[in-house]
Amino acid sequence: MTKVFVSMDSAALSMGANEVAAAISEHAAKAGHDVTIVRNGSRGMLWLEPLVEVETEAGRVGYANVSADQIPELLASGFLSGSSHDSCLGLVEELDFLKNQTRITFARVGVTDPLSLADYEAHGGLKGLRNAIAMTPANIVNEVTESGLRGRGGAGFPAGIKWNTVLNTESDQKYVCCNADEGDSGTFADRMLMEGDPFTLIEGMIIAGIAVGATEGLIYVRSEYPHAIDVLNQAIAIANENKLLGSSVLGSKFAFNLEVRVGAGSYVCGEETAMLESLEGKRGMVRAKPPIPALVGLFGKPTVINNVMTLSAVPMILADGASSYQSFGMDRSRGTQVFQLAGNILRGGIVELPFGITLGDLVNTVGGGTHSGRPIKTVQIGGPLGAYLGEESFDVPMGYESLAEAGGMLGHGGIVVFDDTVNMAKQARFAMEFCAEESCGKCTPCRIGSTRGVEVIDRIVAGEDQAKNLELLEDLCEVMTDGSLCAMGGLTPLPVRSALKLFPADFGIKVEVK
Amino acid sequence: MSNYSEESILNFLGPYKGNRSAVLRSLQLVQELLGYVPDSALDIIAKNSNVSRAEVYGVFTFYSDFRSTPPAKAVVKVCVAEACQASGSASLISELHDKGYDIHKGNIKDDIQMEQTFCLGNCALGPAAMVNGAPIGRATCAKIFASTSAVTA
């Protein structure tokens, strides 16, 4: 029997992975080959999808960009024994792109069958949870604090400190909410983990529940991710059957129930308080803080809210210890970051590395520059609310503080590359337009400022009274930054201002930009 | 698709009777059942969840997923966000426009409806699209219409 791996990740499906898997089944059976097809997650080398891997004695041999009509030819050439072919990559784990990474959160993604709990355990799963069950809640929280893990959703708040607040708040009911409303363009790590290794997230949430004394967990997933929702629901059912979830987690005194909730097409629901409102069945209107959700969260109860990547780092921290995770990274950015190379990039996908790699190394050395082959003009890091950076920032090491110093923001670690054909006035206008479209409307700077922002940018580009309109745009950006309730209005000026500062010529500016 | 009765919707929403926090979930269930949320369903949900019609209407209009009219057989979502802009979504969108589809308006033509969306999470293989939930990477007009014809045929 030969094991063949064809990913069921959405990105692989989008390039025809289902058709490839079906063709392998059909033609292998016809030719009398005994083949088992495993639908794994994606290795994160998205430019190679559909990637087919064949298990051989030497390891898994990869074939890139396989199409369904190629299968008879591949079979005839003996690819089931790992034979050479134009599309053959050799041993997948020896490829530079993978070999040079430090995969902790993504250790199992692309390796295991996402819905096999046995496979999960065989690859180190549940070790963290078993350790946690034997520890006191305070010690679990302490371990997470010591690891230096910070919120991977964008804000970078220390996870252990948040957990400690919830732990120390008395309540009859507490919640753990996973923010899987991954709406930032250029980010897809949450989706890939949920599709490729859902038990890691589930394990992380159970540990969070045990640590803070919460028995109910909710995962808020955006509706644009139907496949992730499906995989999570299947994984939760398996976890329930195997007593990983329910009234007695792995036979312990701890109870934990988990449920998936689906969003309905609203970007602002990725903001944690808007997400809480949405989970309560309401319009996703941002709440004023304080009180923070750790004290007054879902249905007014103390609530841990963490991103998928944050919660998914937890099992490893509890399995291998805080110092192991803490040993990676730089300064106050500890552990690994799952970078996502996106947009106009030759080798797009997932790159998990300790903090500290430079931006230039990421997009050029790892990513191979643009897909179009043209020079890079700019990159946007951290989603639609992140700054545009130019080549002069390519030596900036990737970390929370170092990027902030360079005028940028790490956000969720998504990096969108643009070539020299991009017009930055259009990008700045889009940032305001997007804010106008997605603003919840609660605060004036965001709701009205974004619409006025589009108009002012249009006037600047049209060459109308530029000096005056530039001053007005600057003033508007300041009001939005300082006066908005949440990051939606508060950070929209970041891409606008950075685009203007770096590329004034794109705005047709004839006066000096301050 | 429009064959429904108040009773059938109420049966469907049964588990959420009296649950004020189930308004969003109820709207989603009705849309899963009927493909859209007819105006009369807003009253039914209000009654079932024990909230005012205005509250239900407020939730209904906040979220872009909800539709008040039946969808086409094939619903195509086309990403208009930054990563896909960087990968040439503008020319795809203008080609679709030339074929009679304005993704910003979401008009229906030949049983196909094209709508804009902000990010489908396939940002390294843009432009990204989705046809009735099935993802399309490096989307072109040809790929999109090959996929829609499989649904509308």
Side-chain angles (χ1 to χ4, degrees):
Chain A
M1 192 264 293
T2 313
K3 254 192 193 176
V4 179
F5 297 80
V6 184
S7 173
M8 64 161 184
D9 181 274
S10 292
L13 300 185
S14 82
M15 299 305 284
N18 276 347
E19 292 74 12
V20 169
I24 295 173
S25 275
E26 185 198 329
H27 293 288
K30 265 190 209 159
H33 296 293
D34 184 12
V35 166
T36 300
I37 296 176
V38 178
R39 301 305 302 271
N40 56 335
S42 169
R43 296 274 195 170
M45 301 183 285
L46 298 178
W47 77 99
L48 298 177
E49 296 290 357
L51 169 69
V52 175
E53 292 176 58
V54 177
E55 193 171 68
T56 69
E57 274 177 22
R60 276 153 70 164
V61 176
Y63 296 83
N65 304 117
V66 175
S67 67
D69 21 325
Q70 261 184 314
I71 300 301
E73 175 206 327
L74 275 166
L75 279 168
S77 78
F79 97 120
L80 289 178
S81 49
S83 67
S84 65
H85 183 269
D86 287 347
S87 64
C88 184
L89 301 164
L91 293 176
V92 171
E93 278 165 15
E94 293 302 316
L95 296 172
D96 284 345
F97 189 86
L98 270 186
K99 202 171 62 180
N100 297 334
Q101 295 194 31
T102 307
R103 291 219 167 170
I104 294 174
T105 307
F106 264 67
R108 281 174 291 260
V109 179
V111 177
T112 57
D113 174 349
L115 290 169
S116 163
L117 196 52
D119 216 1
Y120 181 67
E121 275 202 82
H123 287 82
L126 299 185
K127 198 176 149 201
L129 176 59
R130 291 207 167 91
N131 288 346
I133 287 171
M135 291 161 73
T136 64
N139 281 341
I140 302 173
V141 171
N142 195 39
E143 203 68 19
V144 174
T145 309
E146 289 294 306
S147 75
L149 177 65
R150 291 168 70 177
R152 297 281 186 258
F157 189 81
I161 294 180
K162 189 185 278 184
W163 288 22
N164 201 43
T165 306
V166 179
L167 169 65
N168 292 321
T169 306
E170 285 293 315
S171 179
D172 55 343
Q173 179 72 61
K174 298 178 187 178
Y175 295 98
V176 177
C177 291
C178 172
N179 187 342
D181 194 50
E182 187 179 46
D184 287 350
S185 175
T187 65
F188 43 85
D190 294 353
R191 179 187 62 68
M192 287 189 64
L193 186 114
M194 292 187 285
E195 293 178 356
D197 189 20
F199 291 121
T200 295
L201 173 60
I202 293 172
E203 186 181 349
M205 289 187 74
I206 302 170
I207 295 171
I210 293 173
V212 303
T215 53
E216 298 295 324
L218 293 161
I219 309 174
Y220 186 85
V221 191
R222 60 202 299 261
S223 61
E224 291 84 350
Y225 285 1
H227 195 63
I229 293 163
D230 182 45
V231 175
L232 276 176
N233 278 323
Q234 289 186 61
I236 289 172
I238 294 166
N240 274 312
E241 277 164 34
N242 289 279
K243 311 274 185 222
L244 191 55
L245 290 168
S247 56
S248 169
V249 172
L250 292 176
S252 71
K253 60 176 177 176
F254 300 105
F256 197 73
N257 299 303
L258 191 54
E259 202 185 313
V260 173
R261 293 292 186 84
V262 181
S266 161
Y267 175 78
V268 80
C269 286
E271 195 282 334
E272 60 177 6
T273 61
M275 183 190 78
L276 292 176
E277 291 288 304
S278 187
L279 282 169
E280 292 180 10
K282 302 175 200 158
R283 291 164 67 90
M285 305 288 280
V286 171
R287 294 179 187 171
K289 285 192 277 192
I292 54 169
L295 298 171
V296 182
L298 187 64
F299 298 111
K301 304 293 184 186
T303 304
V304 167
I305 303 173
N306 280 134
N307 173 256
V308 176
M309 287 297 111
T310 317
L311 289 161
S312 299
V314 168
M316 181 276 173
I317 292 169
L318 269 294
D320 296 349
S323 56
S324 163
Y325 194 77
Q326 214 270 344
S327 69
F328 297 105
M330 59 170 221
D331 306 330
R332 287 174 52 222
S333 302
R334 309 310 311 179
T336 56
Q337 168 68 37
V338 179
F339 297 104
Q340 299 127 82
L341 298 182
N344 192 341
I345 183 105
L346 187 63
R347 294 189 286 270
I350 291 289
V351 183
E352 184 174 359
L353 282 171
F355 288 98
I357 183 174
T358 66
L359 176 56
D361 275 348
L362 257 181
V363 298
N364 284 325
T365 315
V366 182
T370 63
H371 180 250
S372 60
R374 301 184 65 92
I376 295 177
K377 176 165 175 171
T378 184
V379 300
Q380 187 180 28
I381 310 179
L385 308 176
Y388 285 101
L389 298 174
E391 273 191 323
E392 62 283 355
S393 300
F394 275 19
D395 57 351
V396 172
M398 300 295 282
Y400 293 103
E401 280 74 24
S402 50
L403 263 173
E405 268 169 40
M409 180 186 83
L410 178 62
H412 189 47
I415 298 169
V416 177
V417 178
F418 293 80
D419 73 13
D420 60 349
T421 60
V422 66
N423 178 302
M424 297 309 290
K426 277 190 183 166
Q427 297 310 117
R429 185 186 197 275
F430 178 78
M432 286 289 189
E433 226 184 326
F434 179 66
C435 182
E437 183 87 26
E438 294 294 332
S439 172
C440 81
K442 187 154 175 167
C443 66
T444 316
C446 176
R447 182 183 68 243
I448 300 188
S450 50
T451 298
R452 294 289 99 93
V454 172
E455 295 164 0
V456 178
I457 291 171
D458 282 348
R459 288 202 294 272
I460 291 169
V461 172
E464 270 178 53
D465 212 346
Q466 280 189 338
K468 199 181 128 213
N469 278 308
L470 280 168
E471 201 180 314
L472 192 60
L473 180 62
E474 181 50 33
D475 185 53
L476 178 68
C477 283
E478 199 180 314
V479 170
M480 287 177 74
T481 305
D482 296 341
S484 300
L485 263 179
C486 79
M488 178 91 238
L491 293 177
T492 292
L494 209 53
V496 175
R497 278 168 154 164
S498 57
L500 187 60
K501 193 177 154 204
L502 286 172
F503 307 101
D506 284 7
F507 293 73
I509 288 175
K510 296 171 189 79
V511 295
E512 198 188 329
V513 181
K514 279 178 217 160
Chain B
M1 262 217 210
S2 54
N3 290 329
Y4 67 91
S5 63
E6 179 174 337
E7 201 190 348
S8 68
I9 293 182
L10 274 175
N11 276 337
F12 200 64
L13 298 178
Y16 295 116
K17 189 158 179 57
N19 185 347
R20 300 174 64 90
S21 66
V23 174
L24 175 56
R25 189 75 200 106
S26 299
L27 286 164
Q28 288 172 323
L29 282 170
V30 169
Q31 184 149 306
E32 275 167 37
L33 183 73
L34 306 173
Y36 71 111
V37 183
D39 190 66
S40 58
L42 300 178
D43 294 298
I44 300 170
I45 292 170
K47 196 160 97 181
N48 192 59
S49 298
N50 196 25
V51 297
S52 72
R53 179 190 156 89
E55 281 176 82
V56 179
Y57 185 75
V59 177
F60 172 70
T61 51
F62 183 85
Y63 296 97
S64 62
D65 279 1
F66 295 122
R67 36 181 102 243
S68 54
T69 51
K73 268 190 191 167
V75 176
V76 184
K77 295 196 182 280
V78 181
C79 179
V80 297
E82 288 89 342
C84 288
Q85 292 168 8
S87 307
S89 61
S91 57
L92 171 67
I93 291 162
S94 103
E95 279 175 55
L96 293 172
H97 193 269
D98 292 344
K99 293 187 187 293
Y101 297 96
D102 181 340
I103 64 160
H104 306 293
K105 291 202 178 97
N107 61 306
I108 298 179
K109 185 188 157 202
D110 301 333
D111 282 335
I112 303 169
Q113 185 168 22
M114 307 244 183
E115 300 174 336
Q116 66 169 18
T117 186
F118 294 105
C119 196
L120 293 164
N122 197 11
C123 317
L125 295 170
M130 201 176 247
V131 176
N132 287 5
I136 300 176
R138 299 258 183 254
T140 58
C141 267
K143 277 190 181 184
I144 289 175
F145 286 108
S147 184
T148 55
S149 62
V151 182
T152 54

